[in-house]
């Protein structure tokens, strides 16, 4: 008889350890990026990734194959939500702006071929857009980030966030409309 | 087409730029957009926004984090950073304990008598600030129903306030082979994790009590359930806890 799924008949050995590693290592950048966008704090994001790896290891015995990245990202996402909840309980301070995600952005050298003034404006616009994304409600932000930066499909995003595809679509829509409104506000404010 | 119909198209136009539409549907959208200025503007705006968002550099995992995880997962670290490496656990756990915990986590699988290590590792893991309790309550009548529907078994929950062990909450722990209902009790500043799961058909040969990494544990079975109490509380008082429970 052929088992339909990868049923483990003997205790997990070195192979399963290695395969957990194989699942995790290629997706660390994605895992960290998601954590960073969700918790908006570089140190907490590191803790989230580490915690998620530990949790993933606990869950791994029950992992039945499938989309490895989505599986890991879902754990990261849930861990980030726990971390946010824990922090909300302990502090709950309102934040008006967030630490830039790109530590190097401030030092970025302007391409000498560009009009320096234009380059500065574009950089400021990018920073404003980044802040607008960080200010989105977390359930909109996660859909947007998974779509635009991780280039995941609606189905994968639905798996990770645990909501139906229709909800993913409407959240993406709301996220984008909100950003467009913010950008327009910013532009008229500057003018 | 009326504006209402166009607004219904919005999610399709979005799905199109997200590459989610099958060719035939994408062609229909394209045909409409060509003929409808307001939908064309919408599509243009969405494309432009998407392009601008992608100019932002999404963060990548710091090399030190990658190296630490690679090392922890038993692989040769790609690069050992000289400095700036953060401790694995935030919040009051020493790096030594944390590393010990991680080693235990990786060591548990092959041997049957690793159960004490598994529960101690789970206890240490739970001491991280973000994962202590899933349900916070001192009321057994709140904690017990919380597990219902989340587990295929119903763990007994006892109020030991009279014995000076205060119930503070519960959570689920995903241990190899089974999910545990974990009850959290407190005496002074010490937390006690009580892991509960149905006794397997082949009972484990783990010792009834002992210590690992400075944490004491007691194990017993009752009513078809296996119990593991783990804490940094001294073993005498933890024995009191076990006896009060039994
Ligand atoms: Zn239209």
């Amino acid at each position: 008889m052929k088992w339909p799924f990868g049923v483990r008949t003997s205790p997990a050995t070195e192979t399963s350890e290695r395969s957990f590693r194989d699942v995790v290592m290629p997706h660390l950048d994605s895992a960290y990026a998601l954590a960073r966008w969700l918790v908006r704090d570089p140190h907490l994001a590191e803790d989230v990734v580490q915690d998620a790896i530990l949790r993933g290891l606990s869950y791994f015995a029950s992992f039945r194959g499938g989309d490895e990245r989505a599986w890991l990202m879902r754990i990261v996402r849930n861990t980030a939500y726990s971390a946010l909840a824990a922090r909300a309980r302990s502090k709950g301070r309102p934040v008006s702006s967030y630490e830039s995600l790109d530590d190097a952005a401030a030092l970025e050298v302007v391409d000498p071929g560009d009009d320096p003034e234009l380059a500065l404006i574009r950089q400021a616009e990018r920073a404003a857009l980044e802040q607008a994304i960080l200010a989105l409600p977390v359930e909109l932000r996660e859909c947007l980030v998974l779509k635009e930066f991780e280039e995941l499909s609606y189905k994968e995003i639905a798996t990770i966030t645990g909501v139906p595809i229709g909800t993913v679509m409407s959240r993406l829509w709301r996220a984008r409309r909100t950003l467009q409104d913010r950008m327009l506000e910013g532009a008229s404010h500057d003018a | 087409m009326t504006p209402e119909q166009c607004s219904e198209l919005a999610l399709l136009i979005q799905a199109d730029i997200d590459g989610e539409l099958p060719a035939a549907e994408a062609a229909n959208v394209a045909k409409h957009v060509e003929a409808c200025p307001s939908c064309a503007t919408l599509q243009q705006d969405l494309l432009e926004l998407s392009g601008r968002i992608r100019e932002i550099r999404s963060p990548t995992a710091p090399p030190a984090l990658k190296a630490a995880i690679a090392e922890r997962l038993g692989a040769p670290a790609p690069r050992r950073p000289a400095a700036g490496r953060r401790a694995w656990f935030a919040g009051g756990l020493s790096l030594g304990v944390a590393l010990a915990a991680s080693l235990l986590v990786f060591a548990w699988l092959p041997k049957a008598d690793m159960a004490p290590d598994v529960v101690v590792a789970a206890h240490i893991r739970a001491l991280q600030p973000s994962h202590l309790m899933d349900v916070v309550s001192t009321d057994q009548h709140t904690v017990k129903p919380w597990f219902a529907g989340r587990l295929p078994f119903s763990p007994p929950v006892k109020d030991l306030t009279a014995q000076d062990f205060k119930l503070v909450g519960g959570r689920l722990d995903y241990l190899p082979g089974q999910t545990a209902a974990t009850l959290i009790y407190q005496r002074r500043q010490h937390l006690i994790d009580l892991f509960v799961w149905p006794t397997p058909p082949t009972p484990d040969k783990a010792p009834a009590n002992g210590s690992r990494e400075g944490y004491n544990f007691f194990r017993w079975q009752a009513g078809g359930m296996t119990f593991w109490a783990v804490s940094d509380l001294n073993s005498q008082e933890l024995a009191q806890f076990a006896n009060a429970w039994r």
Side-chain angles (χ1 to χ4, degrees):
Chain A
M1 181 185 159
K2 199 168 181 295
W3 293 103
F5 304 106
V7 174
R8 195 168 283 145
T9 49
S10 57
T13 55
E14 207 185 325
T15 9
S16 70
E17 230 173 84
R18 186 160 297 121
S19 63
F20 179 70
R21 187 183 166 277
D22 291 344
V23 169
V24 166
M25 292 310 292
H27 305 305
L28 281 187
D29 281 335
S30 296
Y32 178 79
L34 178 62
R36 183 82 187 264
W37 280 108
L38 292 184
V39 302
R40 303 183 291 203
D41 173 307
H43 299 302
L44 190 56
E46 285 198 40
D47 291 342
V48 163
V49 171
Q50 290 160 353
D51 190 6
I53 300 289
L54 278 182
R55 288 194 190 191
L57 193 63
S58 310
Y59 293 127
F60 192 56
S62 62
F63 179 55
R64 292 278 171 269
D67 187 339
E68 297 175 348
R69 176 160 70 147
W71 176 79
L72 180 68
M73 298 288 268
R74 181 165 167 77
I75 299 175
V76 169
R77 182 258 185 198
N78 291 344
T79 308
Y81 272 67
S82 313
L84 285 173
R87 196 173 57 176
R89 272 202 302 277
S90 62
K91 293 193 224 165
R93 70 196 156 92
V95 177
S96 57
S97 77
Y98 307 97
E99 196 169 332
S100 170
L101 289 148
D102 188 353
D103 305 322
L107 305 168
E108 214 165 327
V109 184
V110 176
D111 186 333
D114 282 353
D115 174 350
E117 209 169 317
L118 190 68
L120 278 176
I121 291 170
R122 290 181 64 98
Q123 196 175 309
E125 279 177 355
R126 254 204 316 272
L129 184 56
E130 184 184 303
Q131 288 293 316
I133 295 171
L134 288 167
L136 287 172
V138 67
E139 71 276 7
L140 304 189
R141 199 184 330 135
E142 67 182 353
C143 288
L144 185 87
V145 164
L146 291 170
K147 180 75 241 171
E148 297 288 18
F149 297 119
E150 298 303 325
E151 301 188 4
L152 295 175
S153 68
Y154 290 173
K155 192 162 166 252
E156 289 167 315
I157 298 172
T159 304
I160 293 167
T161 57
V163 299
I165 286 178
T167 307
V168 171
M169 292 170 74
S170 65
R171 284 182 178 177
L172 269 174
W173 176 253
R174 279 157 58 206
R176 286 165 166 157
R177 296 309 288 194
T178 308
L179 292 179
Q180 280 167 335
D181 291 348
R182 290 283 170 283
M183 290 295 98
L184 285 177
E185 275 169 29
S188 62
H189 186 76
D190 293 343
Chain B
M1 208 172 257
T2 66
E4 290 82 57
Q5 282 168 313
C6 281
S7 77
E8 275 170 29
L9 269 181
L11 288 185
L12 275 184
I13 292 170
Q14 175 180 249
D16 185 35
I17 72 151
D18 285 335
E20 295 274 344
L21 288 190
E25 260 192 276
N28 283 338
V29 168
K31 209 160 87 188
H32 173 79
V33 166
E34 219 170 291
C36 174
S38 78
C39 284
T41 307
L42 173 67
Q43 187 187 50
Q44 199 48 48
D45 287 350
L46 284 173
L47 282 169
E48 197 195 314
L49 178 69
S50 191
R52 288 176 59 184
I53 291 172
R54 286 166 196 229
E55 280 175 18
I56 298 171
R57 253 187 304 184
S58 192
T60 53
L65 177 69
K66 283 185 183 174
I69 290 172
E71 194 175 281
R72 145 174 286 230
L73 294 182
R79 189 162 62 86
R80 194 179 293 270
R85 181 148 159 202
R86 282 166 46 67
W88 261 91
F89 291 77
L93 263 186
S94 76
L95 183 61
V97 172
L99 285 177
S102 77
L103 292 176
L104 288 173
V105 163
F106 285 94
W108 81 40
L109 289 167
K111 290 191 216 145
D113 59 355
M114 293 304 277
D117 300 310
V118 171
V119 292
V120 169
H123 175 70
I124 294 171
R125 194 161 67 227
L127 294 175
Q128 293 171 90
S130 62
H131 185 61
L132 188 54
M133 280 176 264
D134 294 328
V135 52
V136 180
S137 173
T138 58
D139 183 358
Q140 55 175 324
H141 303 296
T142 305
V143 174
K144 190 173 168 62
W146 184 84
F147 285 110
R150 291 180 170 86
L151 285 172
F153 60 93
S154 173
V157 180
K158 287 189 188 175
D159 183 356
L160 299 180
T161 316
Q163 290 87 347
D164 194 24
F165 294 103
K166 196 173 107 195
L167 177 68
V168 291
R171 66 168 190 276
L172 297 180
D173 272 296
Y174 302 91
L175 305 178
Q178 76 264 306
T179 304
T182 308
L183 303 171
I184 303 133
Y185 290 84
Q186 188 171 8
R187 171 173 272 194
R188 300 190 303 279
Q189 76 278 27
H190 304 282
L191 291 174
I192 303 165
D193 276 340
L194 182 64
F195 300 90
V196 186
W197 62 77
T199 303
T202 46
D204 57 56
K205 297 183 207 71
N209 61 70
S211 74
R212 290 283 190 285
E213 305 296 323
Y215 294 85
N216 294 308
F217 66 85
F218 277 80
R219 176 182 65 92
W220 68 92
Q221 290 171 359
M225 296 282 165
T226 294
F227 298 82
W228 286 85
V230 182
S231 180
D232 62 345
L233 192 63
N234 66 71
S235 79
Q236 216 171 355
E237 286 182 84
L238 192 59
Q240 280 175 22
F241 173 80
N243 286 330
W245 238 91
R246 278 185 280 206

